[in-house]
Amino acid sequence: MHNKISLNIKLTLARKFPYNAIKFLSDKVIPIHNKNITFPRLVVLYITELCNMNCPYCINKKSRKTKTSPNSNTLSLNDIKKIIKETSINSSFLYIVGGEPLFFKEINEVFSYLKENNICVSLTTNGLLLERYASEIIETLSFISISLDGGNANVHDTLRGSLGSFDKTINGIKELIKKRGNNILPIIKIVTVITKSNIKNLIEIYNLCKELRVDEWQISHNCFYDQDVINNNNTFIKTYKSGKNIEGQFIDTNSYLSNEEITLLINEINKIFKLSETSSLNVTPYPILKDDDFYPYYQGKIPKNINSLCNDPFSRLNVRGNGDVELCQGVIVGNIYENNLRECWLSKEADDFRKLIRDNKFTPACHRCCELKFNF
């Protein structure tokens, strides 16, 4: 049903990035939260906090407003090169996000430096600038994720609030497929965030993904939170050193979908999984939910601490546009203008937060974070 990654793709990645592959296999044997690694497996680089869209459900929109720097929330090229170099030396995975990464004014120079360092890198984009940078993307990246929230222009452009964005994105994807030719990399993935407006459109998006011949379609469950979550988190941080940032879209009720909409969503996703059994398209839900978990998830229920788990603080470091280095929830563990990434990763602030997660499993701010492994 999911994770239909071919052996050929796995071998290609392992040959190109052998040390990354060894770490990946090691983490399969010994869970990452049971280790004390000296450098993160994943560095998430917010290459710019600027974006050429303003999507209402963007999980980073709120935190972007708090990240100020002399250069409009954007790191310099030299800063970015230092991060790339340190990540490459430690054979870790680099994930470039924004804002809109392709909106960064020196993105061509970034692509060139990435190629020099032979680093395993992924990039997430809204797709508007894909055509312009298609050649550089194919030559440089191992993975690319493209946001697409509707199977037609009416649904996608309405959700994105940008007329013409659907056509630009589709044309860009076609150009990527054309330029990749018979090569395996980069893996081209379309990502769809579930909203009230596109539940009935999911089958159409599935068919479009097949028609475009992309490798993967990720169906992302909506991140959301309400005032109760904010209140619970504010109470929690009075006792514990956790973060104030809550990822997701604020809603004024505790339930994002009605029971009827949840039932419809379950049926549509199960239809898609059935169709994908005979297709080469890899369909992946994110996070993975059992059918019985859909109702408490979209009704805003709190998962059980004892069974739910998150590995992010034990594997991932985020570098923001003003140089702040975060674990998650806005927990600052350093700044690139004062520390290198290893120093941030091994800081007391980072250790304290990881201990908090080990002891409590998660915090109120983890409410609907897509990295949490949910168990209700």
Side-chain angles (χ1 to χ4, degrees):
M1 182 170 61
H2 8 273
N3 279 331
K4 265 191 287 188
I5 301 176
S6 72
L7 179 60
N8 197 18
I9 291 174
K10 293 177 182 177
L11 289 174
T12 299
L13 288 166
R15 281 194 295 265
K16 191 170 183 181
F17 309 107
Y19 294 108
N20 296 71
I22 290 169
K23 289 179 179 180
F24 177 81
L25 292 173
S26 167
D27 294 339
K28 288 289 185 181
V29 177
I30 304 174
I32 193 75
H33 58 272
N34 289 336
K35 298 179 181 179
N36 291 309
I37 61 175
T38 59
F39 194 84
R41 297 287 195 250
L42 169 65
V43 174
V44 181
L45 173 58
Y46 288 75
I47 196 170
T48 176
E49 302 284 351
L50 302 175
C51 188
N52 50 0
M53 296 188 84
N54 188 30
C55 305
Y57 44 83
C58 176
I59 63 174
N60 293 317
K61 180 161 53 173
K62 182 180 178 183
S63 65
R64 282 207 304 265
K65 293 178 180 178
T66 68
K67 301 298 174 184
T68 58
S69 74
N71 196 24
S72 301
N73 302 2
T74 298
L75 298 169
S76 74
L77 181 60
N78 284 337
D79 296 330
I80 291 166
K81 285 183 174 181
K82 290 177 184 177
I83 294 163
I84 292 171
K85 176 60 75 175
E86 189 176 0
T87 305
S88 174
I89 289 172
N90 286 278
S91 299
S92 290
F93 184 75
L94 183 68
Y95 180 23
I96 298 178
V97 297
E100 168 51 45
L102 299 180
F103 203 46
F104 181 65
K105 63 180 182 295
E106 295 174 291
I107 190 65
N108 280 325
E109 288 82 354
V110 173
F111 282 136
S112 295
Y113 197 70
L114 287 167
K115 280 186 281 190
E116 287 178 28
N117 285 271
N118 189 37
I119 186 170
C120 188
V121 59
S122 176
L123 182 146
T124 290
T125 173
N126 59 34
L128 295 187
L129 298 172
L130 277 178
E131 273 195 285
R132 182 186 301 178
Y133 296 108
S135 295
E136 290 82 1
I137 288 168
I138 295 301
E139 294 170 4
T140 309
L141 302 182
S142 300
F143 302 87
I144 182 163
S145 298
I146 304 147
S147 300
L148 189 72
D149 293 327
N152 58 67
N154 182 48
V155 176
H156 178 83
D157 291 0
T158 301
L159 281 168
R160 291 269 157 178
S162 177
L163 190 64
S165 61
F166 177 83
D167 290 337
K168 287 181 181 178
T169 300
I170 296 301
N171 289 337
I173 294 170
K174 288 178 178 178
E175 189 67 14
L176 288 181
I177 295 293
K178 176 184 173 183
K179 289 188 178 298
R180 186 177 67 172
N182 295 322
N183 294 320
I184 291 175
L185 301 179
I187 305 302
I188 300 173
K189 175 169 70 175
I190 285 177
V191 179
T192 299
V193 177
I194 293 169
T195 70
K196 287 176 175 285
S197 302
N198 66 8
I199 295 174
K200 294 180 180 179
N201 196 233
L202 293 178
I203 295 288
E204 186 175 353
I205 303 173
Y206 168 78
N207 289 328
L208 179 58
C209 290
K210 283 181 57 183
E211 179 186 328
L212 291 169
R213 294 182 292 116
V214 299
D215 303 296
E216 182 178 350
W217 178 34
Q218 179 178 301
I219 307 173
S220 294
H221 293 289
N222 197 294
C223 292
F224 65 92
Y225 62 95
D226 64 0
Q227 189 60 48
D228 286 344
V229 176
I230 296 174
N231 295 340
N232 291 338
N233 196 56
N234 287 340
T235 300
F236 188 85
I237 61 179
K238 289 178 181 177
T239 305
Y240 303 100
K241 291 182 179 179
S242 59
K244 292 184 178 181
N245 286 1
I246 305 173
E247 286 197 348
Q249 177 184 3
F250 176 79
I251 60 174
D252 55 10
T253 175
N254 64 355
S255 181
Y256 182 75
L257 298 177
S258 67
N259 283 347
E260 292 78 13
E261 289 169 327
I262 298 170
T263 301
L264 175 62
L265 176 60
I266 294 170
N267 291 337
E268 292 299 292
I269 288 181
N270 284 335
K271 283 180 193 174
I272 289 163
F273 285 155
K274 187 68 177 175
L275 289 169
S276 71
E277 289 175 358
T278 56
S279 168
S280 60
L281 178 65
N282 187 20
V283 180
T284 53
Y286 189 69
I288 295 174
L289 298 176
K290 301 186 293 290
D291 282 2
D292 289 344
D293 288 339
F294 276 70
Y295 292 96
Y297 180 94
Y298 279 104
Q299 291 167 345
K301 299 291 194 301
I302 306 298
K304 296 176 182 176
N305 282 53
I306 193 170
N307 291 323
S308 298
L309 182 67
C310 184
N311 289 329
D312 258 28
F314 307 94
S315 62
R316 167 175 170 167
L317 208 55
N318 306 289
V319 183
R320 301 304 297 257
N322 65 342
D324 279 345
V325 180
E326 301 175 344
L327 280 185
C328 55
Q329 301 179 13
V331 175
I332 308 299
V333 296
N335 190 285
I336 62 165
Y337 300 116
E338 300 172 4
N339 321 97
N340 62 35
L341 296 183
R342 183 184 296 275
E343 289 170 343
C344 296
W345 181 253
L346 298 175
S347 67
K348 182 180 184 301
E349 292 83 359
D351 283 344
D352 287 346
F353 187 73
R354 283 191 282 265
K355 184 179 185 304
L356 173 66
I357 297 299
R358 277 196 181 101
D359 293 344
N360 292 273
K361 304 300 183 184
F362 62 90
T363 78
C366 303
H367 180 69
R368 285 298 176 272
C369 177
C370 51
E371 300 298 336
L372 186 65
K373 294 177 176 63
F374 287 89
N375 191 316
F376 291 95

